[in-house]
Amino acid sequence: MSSSTQGATLSTNVVGLVDGSSASHREVSVFDGLPIYVKELIAGGAAGAFAKTVVAPLERVKILLQTRTEGYHSLGVHQSLKKLLKNEGVIGFYKGNGASVLRIVPYAALHYMTYERYRGWILENYSALGTGPVVDLLAGSASGGTAVLCTYPLDLARTKLAYQVKETRGNDSRPTHIRPQYSGTKNVLEAVYKEGGLRALYRGVGPTLIGILPYAGLKFYVYEELKRHVPEEHQSSIMMRLSCGAIAGLLGQTFTYPLDVVRRQMQVEHLQPSLQDRARYRSTFDGLSSIVRNQGWRQLFAGLSVNYMKIVPSVAIGFTAYDTMKAYLNVPPRQK
């Protein structure tokens, strides 16, 4: 085939992909033979990795603020970013992002895929619930819990890596670590398992589950409900999806953020000198009450502003990328 013919064929295929032509889509897709759930896994994993990498610098600052890290807990977002850049360089913005992406790919893949499976199962077996947003709420909550249980040790590793900071001492311009240094995700998992076994790898999973169940449910509920009110001609608009995703993430995160703060502190409390003289949090409720009593209620919302800055693009990009990937992979529309 001549180069001009190849170019013409490629142009036709691309145009067909853009305008939704299924025939052209099948010509360019190499995924047609895959089961639907595998396509959903691929779409979810790709969406999660892309969204997480975009907001990685804000995620690092959020963790430092949540865990009251020395030298950062009294700084704002802008000053924290400047200090990280000065002490650790651009690479400091992405410390722990490898563990984060390693976790988010299977997490997002499972989250989106199991949401689709749970949603279909509920519609088929519990028709009394109807087909409204309640189904999205239940399916989203169940899929969030499933994904957390499967990937939590990686989230623990990500937090411990992000918690490591460097400081400059006096006139010495060389940065030095002021937290136990881990060399990578594998090193964190090995050290934690050696210290406390499987139980230690899941420390903080309680508040995580309590937080993720309503958060994931609300996120899918709001996103799908908002899309239902969008005119048909705007359903494929990227700006529409970004807007719906941003609002969904914003509302879901606001209601569950204090539980995220408890989770982070439970994950790193044995590393904090200020907490060595008191007992560790015994439960989620004990963590909430202890933080309010010893650190003030405002600490339950420490880092919320940066989380808003992070969650709006993260959830918006995640949902948009997932829907776009599903269209590219030729995943059939959801059951109504």
Side-chain angles (χ1 to χ4, degrees), residues 11-38:
S11 299
T12 302
N13 290 339
V14 170
V15 170
L17 179 62
V18 172
D19 67 15
S21 170
S22 59
S24 295
H25 194 160
R26 283 193 294 272
E27 288 181 20
V28 299
S29 176
V30 297
F31 302 99
D32 284 342
L34 296 176
I36 297 300
Y37 75 90
V38 175

Side-chain angles (χ1 to χ4, degrees), residues 91-163:
I91 196 171
F93 291 149
Y94 294 91
K95 180 176 288 185
N97 189 56
S100 186
V101 170
L102 184 64
R103 164 191 166 269
I104 204 63
V105 169
Y107 175 86
L110 285 169
H111 192 17
Y112 286 108
M113 186 276 288
T114 54
Y115 163 75
E116 305 284 3
R117 302 301 101 193
Y118 284 134
R119 186 178 186 276
W121 181 78
I122 292 172
L123 289 174
E124 291 176 5
N125 295 279
Y126 295 91
S127 56
L129 292 174
T131 59
V134 172
V135 175
D136 296 308
L137 183 68
L138 295 175
S141 297
S143 64
T146 301
V148 163
L149 288 175
C150 292
T151 62
Y152 185 79
L154 293 172
D155 181 59
L156 181 72
R158 184 271 303 262
T159 300
K160 289 182 180 296
L161 287 170
Y163 184 63

Side-chain angles (χ1 to χ4, degrees), residues 229-249:
H229 291 82
V230 174
E232 187 67 30
E233 61 269 22
H234 299 298
Q235 283 289 331
S236 61
S237 167
I238 289 182
M239 284 307 300
M240 180 280 296
R241 292 173 180 170
L242 286 171
S243 300
C244 292
I247 296 172

Side-chain angles (χ1 to χ4, degrees), residues 217-273:
L218 283 170
K219 185 174 68 173
F220 278 102
Y221 168 89
V222 173
Y223 181 68
E224 296 298 334
E225 183 64 12
L226 288 173
K227 286 204 304 180
R228 287 188 183 98
H229 291 82
V230 174
E232 187 67 30
E233 61 269 22
H234 299 298
Q235 283 289 331
S236 61
S237 167
I238 289 182
M239 284 307 300
M240 180 280 296
R241 292 173 180 170
L242 286 171
S243 300
C244 292
I247 296 172
L250 198 65
L251 293 177
Q253 188 68 192
T254 300
F255 288 111
T256 60
Y257 190 78
L259 295 168
D260 192 44
V261 173
V262 175
R263 170 172 66 112
R264 297 298 185 196
Q265 291 206 10
M266 290 182 75
Q267 287 177 336
V268 302
E269 61 184 352
H270 69 289
L271 299 176
Q272 293 179 300

Side-chain angles (χ1 to χ4, degrees), residues 40-117:
E40 291 166 350
L41 284 170
I42 294 171
F50 180 65
K52 182 63 70 174
T53 301
V54 169
V55 299
L58 294 173
E59 177 71 12
R60 176 87 198 276
V61 170
K62 186 196 76 168
I63 291 176
L64 295 177
L65 293 175
Q66 282 182 327
T67 54
R68 297 174 66 84
T69 304
E70 181 181 341
Y72 287 86
H73 66 277
S74 61
L75 298 179
V77 176
H78 180 65
Q79 291 300 318
S80 295
L81 289 170
K82 286 178 62 178
K83 186 170 184 177
L84 273 176
L85 181 62
K86 177 182 178 182
N87 291 342
E88 303 183 27
V90 174
I91 196 171
F93 291 149
Y94 294 91
K95 180 176 288 185
N97 189 56
S100 186
V101 170
L102 184 64
R103 164 191 166 269
I104 204 63
V105 169
Y107 175 86
L110 285 169
H111 192 17
Y112 286 108
M113 186 276 288
T114 54
Y115 163 75
E116 305 284 3
R117 302 301 101 193

